[in-house]
Amino acid sequence: MDSVNRRDFLTRLTLATATVSLPQYAFSFNGRADEFITTDTTHGKLRGIRKDGVNLFRGIPYGGRISGDRRFRRPAPLEPWTGVRDALEFGAPAIQPPRRNEPAPSEDCLFLNVWTPANDNRKRPVMFYSHGGGFVIGSGASGGQDGSNLARNFDVVVVETNHRLGLLGFLYLDEVAGVDYAGSGNMGMLDIVDGLKWVHDNIARFGGDPSNVMIWGESGGGAKTSCLYAMPSAAPYFNKASIESGPGVRMTSKETAAETTAMLLRELNIAPKDWRKLLDIPASELLVMQGKLPFAPPFQEKNNRKSLMERRAGGFSPVVDGTVLPHNPFDPTAPAISRNKPLLVGWNEDEFTFFAWERKDTEFAKLTFETLPKRLEAQFGEDTPKIIDTYRKANPNATAPDIFIAVSSITMMGLGSVDIAEKKVKQGGAPVYLYNFGYKSEKLIPGTDYPMGTPHAMDISFKFNNEIPPRDGSAPKESFFGGNRPERFTASHHFAELWTTFARTGKPAAKDVPAWPAFNLKSRPTMRIDANCEVINNRFSDELAMWRTIGRL
């Protein structure tokens, strides 16, 4: 396998959600409810279930039809219904390969799910989560992100949406299809905004406060959150945000998006003037074509080496179209529109071990300091010796595999997170809080003696407080990524309490956790989240100084 780099970052991101969608994390309604709960919404009555002290409403429609003549456009109006509509099962996810323990994917996928302690008008903080999957897979029912424990244990309301993905969500047609398709390159993001509007109009009936909404997301969901933070249409509907292991500094330019559209039309033998033929192709065939297009890696050339999320032609992600997304989310500056909205941002210490596990890469664990340079040179070229020297001096006890993991992880997620934090501070508005998740799983990467540590996506079950002992008192089962050690329960509680307190107050805090100072450019405090949390000042200072010197930060 070639040296890992951000060249395939976004495509590997797409697997993060799928790989943790395992049977033990499937939350469909397959047993008796304690009772059924009925509530009003703007479009009709819903029936959900109360289970173990939490009210759950699944598969709530928040937008109308997006198939047929609505493909690549804003949804048809959502039609009110009469009687009581069941909200007992998850709604269809966006078009993608079939998802375990979920309904079949469908082009009409605008559904959301709500977890709340009670429908009692208590004005709890609302945590509006965008799933991972790198803009091409995932759903609001993805494994590990069940909101029951957050709602039950921390008295918050959790909301998660399905929304358009991939070609159907981000195909840029503005330049060939005319005014009716304005914003087509951002339909998936505008769907999420519609979900936020639904929250504004309805969440009070679910015990939530529409004036206290936090947007958050991991991996591709972090990049979606980055975009929402910069979108005028989203601005009225949230007042704080968290970007987790998915720093969306830059998105796709109009020029690159137009190249992708032209490439797609050529592959389908459709002339630009006949673009309407796209409306007649079955969604399943478009999904196949999406997979045939060349992958669109982020820029990594010598003349543009910064670790920023931007794609070449061939992939699908939000488009900086000047209107829906007026500019890159965090380049050249933090978005002025969210100047007064507090922000959390950070990454997992060992992001790359997820990708080694997913690819069955065992060779990295055999690296020596003689073979390490060759492994890194494909990505870093002539800078490789300086990078290795800096990391060895800063981490004198590290092995060659340790250095490889550290370098790969920080270039995937860390440099962009630091870039966002620095730009937010320079803006001089609301505070930003920088973190590293560091709880170490003892599970070994198959075929190696190297532990998972803190891989990409492991934070999902931790921050949702889904790493807890069984409620029935039985022996805990091994966590898929988190391992067997009971300390994981404490780390999960810390993570969840920090995030829910931030949702409630705009300042992260938790019992038995040190006070978390806002990030600044002098002491640069970073919260390391673990069973024992600590604030570390000027963390990775030598490494970050080196990354700046070689032009990657």
Side-chain angles (χ1 to χ4, degrees), residues 279-301:
L279 305 180
D280 299 323
I281 298 174
S284 58
E285 293 183 21
L286 290 178
L287 179 64
V288 171
M289 181 55 63
Q290 175 180 304
K292 290 181 178 179
L293 292 180
F295 172 63
F299 282 67
Q300 276 292 334
E301 290 77 16

Side-chain angles (χ1 to χ4, degrees), residues 6 70 73 138 153 159 166 199 217 242 266 303 318 376 389 395 406 468 513-514 530 540:
R6 293 180 65 93
R70 289 286 175 166
R73 297 174 59 197
N153 298 334
V159 181
V199 165
S242 175
R266 285 196 301 272
N303 62 353
L376 293 176
D389 182 62
N395 307 274
I468 60 173
V513 170
D530 201 335
F540 306 123

